[in-house]
Amino acid sequence: MCGIAGIIRRGDHDREDMSRMLDLMGHRGPDGHDQWQEAILDGPRVTLGHRRLAIIDLSQAATQPMADVSGRYILTFNGEIYNYLELRAELVRSGARFRTDSDSEVILEAYKQSGNDCMSRFNGMFAFAIYDRLRKRLFCARDRYGEKPFLFCSKPSFFAFASEYKALLAQAEVSARYDEFRLIRAGYNPSTGLDADRQTTFDDIQQLRPGEALEIDCRDFTHRIWRYYEPRFDPSRWNGKEEDAFAEFRELLIDSVRLRLRSDVTVGSCLSGGLDSSAIVCIARRLLGDDAPYETFTGVFPGTYADEKRFADEVIAKTGVGNHIVEPTCERFIAELPRFVWLNELPVGTSSQFAQWCVFELAAQHGVTVLLDGQGSDELLGGYPSYYSLYVESLKEIGDHARLDDEIIRIDERYPSARDKPLRRLRDSLPFSWRHAFANRTGTGSSILYGLSPDVAAQSLKLSERERLAGFNPLSSALAEDSFGRFLTTLLRYGDRNSMAHSREVRLPFCDHRLADLALSLPPHLLMGEIQTKRLLRESMRGILPEPIRTRWAKRGFLPPQELWFKSARMRAIVRDTLSSSSFRESPYWTASWWNNLLDRIDKGDWALGWTAWQPFMIESWKRHFVAESTHRTAALEKVAS
């Protein structure tokens, strides 16, 4: 896990520019940094940079940028190739020679052997660039889920890439202009805004999407981008026996955890007490044995509905793992807000991301460098009750009426808010313009849409509609889209930035493409049938998970009691001050009067409205603590360099 960067540009100053990029990403790689440069005859200079967090092969031989044995190929790589030992053995049998024990060198040798097709051989999370000194081409790729970032700026005579926005914004060619509408749209619906498209919120910065690769001719700056992986529906994966599907998923998940335990530094786990992280901890204990030390880290919220420590304690009692706890509080959030925003780089959707930040910081305090986490299960396996409307639609579409008749009443009993209700349908049947006008005249309503100008609100609502993926039923289409192109990509960005802020590596066993290839090919009832969210996981974990965890039906994310934070007079004052700024009041997007009314309602005790106020508060905080700070820090670095 590291930070990577590259510059292709005519001129003599790229080493200084690269140093600034690497300095801005120092938190991603505290164990070393280096750069490599070559000037193309009658062409630009190619400069590659790397910040190292040493995980596999801690020796100096594994530092990057790394050249292959021949010296033709130069690599800068962020991430992990979990199946590198198996790949290394294959490559050795094919004649490859290795000088290190690193997974980085495995990438180089796989590329030499398979060229652009090498990604199909990797099970991992990665963003990397390989420069071919003979062909003068740079090959870049991002992993299938988009766990690791690959941001880039491409202009007629300039190309640069990096792991973080701040590094690219340090380049003179890269403007800090941004699209505020994207920020607002993401505030209303996180799955539609900042991570679902190649274009980012910054005008000059794009990103490789999950499962994409890029190749650029460094002589003339022409490039092409293509998708090397996308989820697919393969009904031949299921033979009709439920128990076989559960057994296959169980074995794949166990193997996914096994691969992600590989490390030359200490490995532990995040443990919320939920189904996903608990399954990973229980599997890890089985694989490592009863006597192996294994530390877990838990965020707690004592005395509130959000506290799940009692469930984490069930797992701890069963497995005997070590456990450390941290309480993410409102006071701590206020104290760390500037640094939190700076290192997250984009506005965050809820206080859950700060809770995650605190857990990674706790792990750093206890010297655990690598953490396994349960992210990705909800989107792939149907963990949100809201998916039940799509489950019902899928049963209707495939003609499974007997199952639908048997389950639909029980779905409404167990998950009463999962499907649209008559009153909600009646409300939503009214023209949105009427609802928006009424909320603004009366100072009522709780949706962020009511605090936007009418045109912006209507456009945000329209752009939130789903599109069906070809070949999938409605449920599997939504799961595939949320996992590989919408909601999960945003959560993965949070995980990357929060872990790297504390120089930790987070590994996600549920983000293994083998699990996706199986799950997305199964019929709906194996995913959400029998009134079970994540049925595939629950059934596969029989005998591994404690039953009170396996049969927890209520969905509760890892989330502080955010609305209770607004009981704090200091929190309310900071939010009010932020939303009183000229940037907010003069924006063509926001309706300041509606927000003033909302803040008054919060002051009177309507704490739940704190969820609504969070979105503009974080967007305005981002302008102050990231955009303005980025400009300031870049100027300071340039001054030092001169």
Side-chain angles (χ1 to χ4, degrees), residues 329-341:
T329 63
C330 175
E331 292 73 20
R332 183 172 176 181
F333 170 74
I334 292 170
E336 298 189 33
L337 178 63
R339 182 168 177 262
F340 175 67
V341 173

Side-chain angles (χ1 to χ4, degrees), residues 476-489:
S476 292
S477 174
L479 300 180
E481 191 179 16
D482 284 354
S483 295
F484 293 95
R486 286 170 60 101
F487 189 53
L488 181 58
T489 49

Side-chain angles (χ1 to χ4, degrees), residues 165-373:
Y165 289 100
K166 59 178 71 71
L168 285 174
L169 293 172
Q171 302 305 302
E173 293 90 344
V174 185
S175 168
R177 291 189 308 271
Y178 58 87
D179 183 348
E180 188 165 2
F181 175 68
R182 278 182 176 268
L183 300 172
I184 291 168
R185 188 178 69 179
Y188 169 64
N189 185 342
S191 70
T192 64
L194 306 183
D195 302 280
D197 305 314
R198 187 174 299 134
Q199 179 60 50
T200 74
T201 195
F202 289 99
D203 292 353
D204 279 353
I205 300 177
Q206 300 181 69
Q207 61 189 338
L208 288 183
R209 292 180 294 181
E212 283 192 337
L214 176 155
E215 187 175 66
I216 180 170
D217 187 324
C218 300
R219 292 164 296 193
D220 61 11
F221 294 91
T222 58
H223 72 271
R224 66 184 182 99
I225 297 175
W226 69 97
R227 182 177 292 278
Y228 69 85
Y229 174 84
E230 54 188 344
R232 58 193 176 90
F233 176 69
D234 180 11
S236 66
R237 289 294 301 268
W238 187 51
N239 63 9
K241 296 180 180 179
E242 292 187 352
E243 60 271 22
D244 289 347
F246 300 146
E248 182 178 357
F249 184 84
R250 174 180 177 141
E251 292 308 309
L252 286 174
L253 181 58
I254 290 173
D255 192 60
S256 179
V257 174
R258 178 185 68 84
L259 291 177
R260 285 159 178 78
L261 287 171
R262 289 175 169 173
S263 173
D264 293 332
V265 296
T266 306
V267 180
S269 277
C270 302
L271 176 60
S272 68
L275 181 63
D276 310 324
S277 63
S278 298
I280 290 169
V281 171
C282 290
I283 291 172
R285 171 52 78 209
R286 282 193 166 206
L287 291 169
L288 295 172
D290 293 339
D291 298 328
Y294 197 76
E295 301 302 314
T296 61
F297 302 88
T298 303
V300 299
F301 314 103
T304 74
Y305 66 88
D307 190 56
E308 297 189 292
K309 187 176 185 300
R310 66 187 185 281
F311 296 110
D313 287 343
E314 291 266 2
V315 177
I316 295 164
K318 177 179 175 66
T319 61
V321 297
N323 184 245
H324 309 274
I325 63 173
V326 62
E327 182 182 355
T329 63
C330 175
E331 292 73 20
R332 183 172 176 181
F333 170 74
I334 292 170
E336 298 189 33
L337 178 63
R339 182 168 177 262
F340 175 67
V341 173
W342 168 250
L343 290 173
N344 263 277
E345 296 205 296
L346 291 174
V348 303
T350 69
S351 56
S352 175
Q353 286 75 60
F354 182 69
Q356 184 185 61
W357 164 283
C358 293
V359 170
F360 286 130
E361 186 172 54
L362 179 68
Q365 292 168 357
H366 288 273
V368 176
T369 305
V370 175
L371 291 149
L372 273 58
D373 186 80

Side-chain angles (χ1 to χ4, degrees), residues 12 57 149 154-155 181 233 239 251 341 374 413 443 476 568 570:
D12 300 324
D57 188 346
S154 178
K155 296 191 174 184
F181 175 68
F233 176 69
N239 63 9
E251 292 308 309
V341 173
E413 289 174 348
S476 292
S568 163
R570 188 179 175 203

Side-chain angles (χ1 to χ4, degrees), residues 41 106 127 154 156 163 165 359 370 385 422 454 498 519 540 565 584 602:
L41 182 64
V106 170
S154 178
S163 298
Y165 289 100
V359 170
V370 175
N498 284 325
S540 69
W565 283 12
F584 185 77
I602 294 175

